[in-house]
């Protein structure tokens, strides 16, 4: 196998889907040229042939002059780097169209690392009003202790963003689609706005996008103008719910800081988790997410037509508030519309309390009686997962503030799996009958 063969990595010759399976094929990160599947490394430490080699290894680590070079690294200790993570990182950078990737133990490890290298005391973050619960908690409960403050705003409305930006703003942070209500944020529009503002600033503003909901199969934010993408590998990319992980993807100039941050704060991705994502998650990503997206579309249409359903937020429905943006921004590797695998819906009721109560009854019935609806947090699994954000994933937001954060208290989040959609509809029908 010719490892220098550039044609193999050329997307005009081979598609991204094929690259997900073969990755960089044989990489310089590790010599396993006669294995078909990359082996699982299970050694925390690495033997150094000489003191000189050890010293060279420490000089190499996170050294901007060495990073990205197609050379075999000198491995020393797992927290600094080891082959399984390095191979996974090469592939994640490639599919997200970034220059580099650094993995972390969890999605939260990745999010705190990218914000950790970009922000210092006195800086502000402008963030979406709708965020993953623990990200919201990180920004609200921990960063103010270091005098890093967050202004939450409705980033779906670009007109209101400019007035939130001050000389202290360092990062614009958001998810698109947002967790859990599926609002979209226009990445290209924000890029144009930030570019205009950055012209006159020494301390630039960076755009960080959590792309966990879409996965690179449905959307590649760096191509649309984001500076950084973060993922929870625990979700759609990992895909089977067996391991946790996270990643930051972006420009090479930040790789040394991310590696140093990971070394010193310690949220290192375990080798076994890296190997699982590389071996099972990435190679099947296109099949799983395509099937989940087809299922989501069918379920969204079913729910929208159901007399007991008040609203369905799904970027693939023509009735979706931001359908036009969805079509422009969410595309698979072949350029086809890929509105993703999650939807958010609510039941008809006279009051918000009644809607919440009906959602509770619906989910408890499904938890007991449905074969294909599993009451559990997380998403991007082979099984369809349902949950109630107001009482579960987003319970750290005070109840009276949920609507301000764009979260309907009765809303139910459905993260589609890869089952036959007819079975999911069967279970939904039965569960809707009792409310
Ligand atoms: C799950 C999730 C995270 C956090 O990831 P962990 O791997 O659980 O730490 C961050 N953002 C979104 C959108 C998520 O769904």
């Amino acid at each position: 196998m010719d490892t220098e063969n550039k044609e193999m990595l050329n997307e005009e010759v081979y598609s991204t889907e094929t690259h997900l399976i073969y990755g960089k094929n044989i990489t310089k990160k590790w010599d396993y040229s006669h294995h078909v599947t990359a082996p699982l490394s299970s050694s925390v430490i690495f033997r150094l042939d000489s003191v000189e080699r050890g010293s060279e290894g420490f000089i190499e680590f996170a050294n901007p002059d060495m990073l990205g070079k197609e050379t075999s690294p000198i491995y020393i200790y797992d927290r600094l780097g080891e082959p399984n993570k390095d191979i996974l990182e090469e592939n994640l950078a490639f599919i997200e169209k970034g220059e580099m990737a650094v993995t972390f133990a969890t999605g939260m490890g990745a999010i705190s690392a990218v914000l950790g290298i970009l922000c210092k005391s006195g800086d502000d973050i402008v963030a979406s009003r709708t965020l993953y619960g623990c990200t919201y908690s990180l920004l609200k409960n921990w960063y103010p202790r270091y005098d890093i403050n967050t202004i939450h705003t409705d980033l779906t409305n670009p007109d209101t963003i400019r007035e939130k930006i001050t000389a202290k703003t360092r990062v614009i942070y958001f998810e698109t689609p947002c967790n859990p209500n599926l609002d979209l944020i226009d990445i290209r529009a924000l890029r144009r706005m930030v570019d205009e503002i950055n012209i006159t600033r020494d301390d630039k503003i960076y755009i960080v996008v959590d792309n966990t909901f879409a996965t690179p199969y449905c959307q590649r934010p760096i191509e649309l103008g984001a500076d950084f993408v973060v993922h929870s590998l625990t979700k759609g990319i990992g895909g089977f719910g067996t391991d946790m992980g996270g990643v930051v993807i972006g420009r090479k100039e930040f790789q040394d800081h991310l590696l140093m941050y990971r070394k010193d704060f310690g949220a290192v991705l375990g080798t076994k988790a890296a190997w699982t994502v590389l071996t099972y998650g990435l190679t099947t990503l296109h099949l799983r997410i395509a099937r989940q997206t087809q299922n989501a579309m069918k379920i969204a249409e079913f729910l929208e037509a159901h007399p007991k359903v008040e609203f369905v937020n799904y970027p693939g429905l023509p009735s979706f508030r931001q359908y036009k943006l969805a079509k422009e921004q969410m595309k698979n590797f072949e350029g086809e519309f890929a509105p993703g695998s999650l939807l958010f819906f609510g039941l008809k009721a006279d009051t918000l309390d009644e809607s919440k109560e009906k959602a509770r009854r619906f989910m408890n019935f499904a938890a007991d009686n449905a074969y294909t609806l599993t009451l559990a947090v997380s998403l991007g699994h082979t099984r369809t997962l349902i949950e109630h954000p107001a009482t579960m994933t987003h319970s750290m937001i005070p109840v009276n503030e949920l609507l301000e954060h764009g979260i309907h208290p009765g809303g139910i989040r459905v993260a589609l799996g890869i089952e036959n959609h007819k079975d999911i509809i069967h279970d939904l029908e039965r569960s809707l009958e009792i409310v």
Side-chain angles (χ1 to χ4, degrees):
M1 184 67 65
D2 178 3
T3 58
E4 299 295 322
N5 188 339
K6 294 285 181 232
E7 182 179 290
M8 284 186 178
L9 282 175
N10 184 340
E11 278 181 279
E12 293 183 3
V13 182
Y14 297 104
S15 66
T16 307
E17 299 196 346
T18 296
H19 278 118
L20 285 172
I21 299 161
Y22 291 86
K24 292 198 78 176
N25 222 313
I26 301 302
T27 130
K28 287 271 171 64
K29 300 297 180 192
W30 202 12
D31 180 8
Y32 62 94
S33 56
H34 292 95
H35 287 68
V36 172
T37 297
L40 170 56
S41 170
S42 195
S43 182
V44 170
I45 45 171
F46 295 81
R47 195 174 61 80
L48 299 159
D49 305 318
S50 62
V51 170
E52 288 73 20
R53 185 174 156 88
S55 146
E56 227 177 285
F58 278 101
I59 291 167
E60 251 185 27
F61 174 71
N63 182 336
D65 296 336
M66 305 296 295
L67 290 168
K69 292 252 164 67
E70 288 280 311
T71 51
S72 306
I74 299 172
Y75 292 117
I76 300 169
Y77 186 63
D78 186 337
R79 187 152 39 72
L80 279 61
E82 57 70 46
N84 288 129
K85 284 192 276 293
D86 279 13
I87 299 169
L88 175 64
E89 286 164 2
E90 281 182 343
N91 288 297
L92 288 169
F94 185 77
I95 54 163
E96 274 289 6
K97 313 295 174 202
E99 291 174 359
M100 63 83 202
V102 177
T103 53
F104 292 87
T106 62
M108 289 316 301
I111 292 165
S112 48
V114 71
L115 295 176
I117 65 155
L118 294 175
C119 299
K120 58 181 187 327
S121 292
D123 289 345
D124 278 355
I125 296 167
V126 170
S128 166
R129 64 178 183 148
T130 313
L131 287 173
Y132 177 69
C134 300
T135 307
Y136 175 78
S137 173
L138 173 74
L139 299 175
K140 184 179 160 70
N141 297 325
W142 295 102
Y143 281 4
R145 294 184 175 204
Y146 312 117
D147 193 25
I148 297 169
N149 295 297
T150 300
I151 294 110
H152 289 279
T153 186
D154 180 4
L155 292 179
T156 67
N157 180 0
D159 301 336
T160 67
I161 305 168
R162 242 173 225 274
E163 63 202 51
K164 308 286 179 193
I165 292 176
T166 68
K168 294 163 88 180
T169 309
R170 190 69 49 241
V171 171
I172 298 185
Y173 184 93
F174 56 93
E175 299 152 12
T176 177
C178 296
N179 186 355
N181 65 3
L182 281 312
D183 274 354
L184 302 187
I185 289 156
D186 187 339
I187 302 171
R188 284 197 189 92
L190 274 182
R191 176 78 264 161
R192 283 192 296 272
M193 193 192 76
V194 168
D195 280 348
E196 278 172 31
I197 296 170
N198 272 347
I199 290 176
T200 56
R201 291 168 66 111
D202 292 333
D203 289 330
K204 303 295 178 207
I205 298 172
Y206 295 102
I207 299 176
V208 180
V209 178
D210 180 338
N211 199 32
T212 301
F213 264 33
T215 80
Y217 180 81
C218 296
Q219 169 179 282
R220 286 144 319 273
I222 289 173
E223 284 184 331
L224 300 168
D227 295 296
F228 295 91
V229 164
V230 292
H231 275 288
S232 167
L233 299 173
T234 317
K235 314 291 173 54
I237 294 183
F240 295 88
T242 57
D243 295 271
M244 301 200 80
V247 66
V248 179
I249 300 156
R251 287 198 296 281
K252 206 170 282 170
E253 63 191 276
F254 298 98
Q255 192 175 7
D256 56 338
H257 277 178
L258 285 166
L259 286 169
M260 298 283 242
Y261 192 97
R262 180 174 75 178
K263 169 177 81 72
D264 296 340
F265 283 78
V268 176
L269 182 66
T271 50
K272 188 236 167 196
W275 181 85
T276 306
V277 175
L278 181 72
T279 308
Y280 304 120
L282 279 184
T283 55
T284 59
L285 182 77
H286 61 300
L287 292 178
R288 290 181 291 103
I289 309 294
R291 173 64 173 238
Q292 289 172 356
T293 301
Q294 283 166 8
N295 280 351
M297 191 68 213
K298 295 222 165 73
I299 302 309
E301 284 167 350
F302 163 78
L303 288 171
E304 191 172 47
H306 197 284
K308 288 189 178 172
V309 171
E310 173 74 33
F311 68 91
V312 183
N313 293 0
Y314 180 59
L317 286 177
S319 61
F320 184 66
R321 176 168 78 94
Q322 297 166 298
Y323 186 59
K324 186 167 163 280
L325 175 60
K327 287 194 116 168
E328 285 162 8
Q329 188 158 278
M330 302 189 73
K331 291 182 182 166
N332 69 15
F333 304 130
E334 306 283 310
E336 296 152 353
F337 187 31
S341 62
L342 280 114
L343 57 87
F344 188 62
F345 79 100
L347 299 167
K348 276 192 186 142
D350 292 332
T351 62
L352 289 177
D353 280 345
E354 191 192 339
S355 157
K356 198 171 161 185
E357 171 56 21
K358 283 190 169 180
R360 191 186 67 78
R361 290 216 315 271
F362 168 88
M363 281 181 285
N364 278 345
F365 180 88
D368 258 356
N369 299 283
Y371 191 40
T372 68
L373 301 173
T374 303
L375 180 61
V377 298
S378 198
L379 54 114
H381 201 281
T382 51
R383 299 179 184 209
T384 294
L385 308 176
I386 56 167
E387 69 111 1
H388 185 220
T391 55
M392 296 166 68
T393 48
H394 292 70
S395 54
M396 54 290 283
I397 300 176
V399 179
N400 56 350
E401 290 176 23
L402 279 170
L403 283 175
E404 265 167 58
H405 288 278
I407 302 170
H408 191 288
I412 298 164
R413 193 182 77 181
V414 185
L416 274 301
I418 60 174
E419 304 92 337
N420 184 323
H421 73 273
K422 290 182 201 138
D423 297 329
I424 303 168
I425 289 178
H426 171 76
D427 282 337
L428 284 171
E429 247 165 3
R430 286 198 308 147
S431 310
L432 284 166
E433 257 168 39
I434 64 103
V435 293

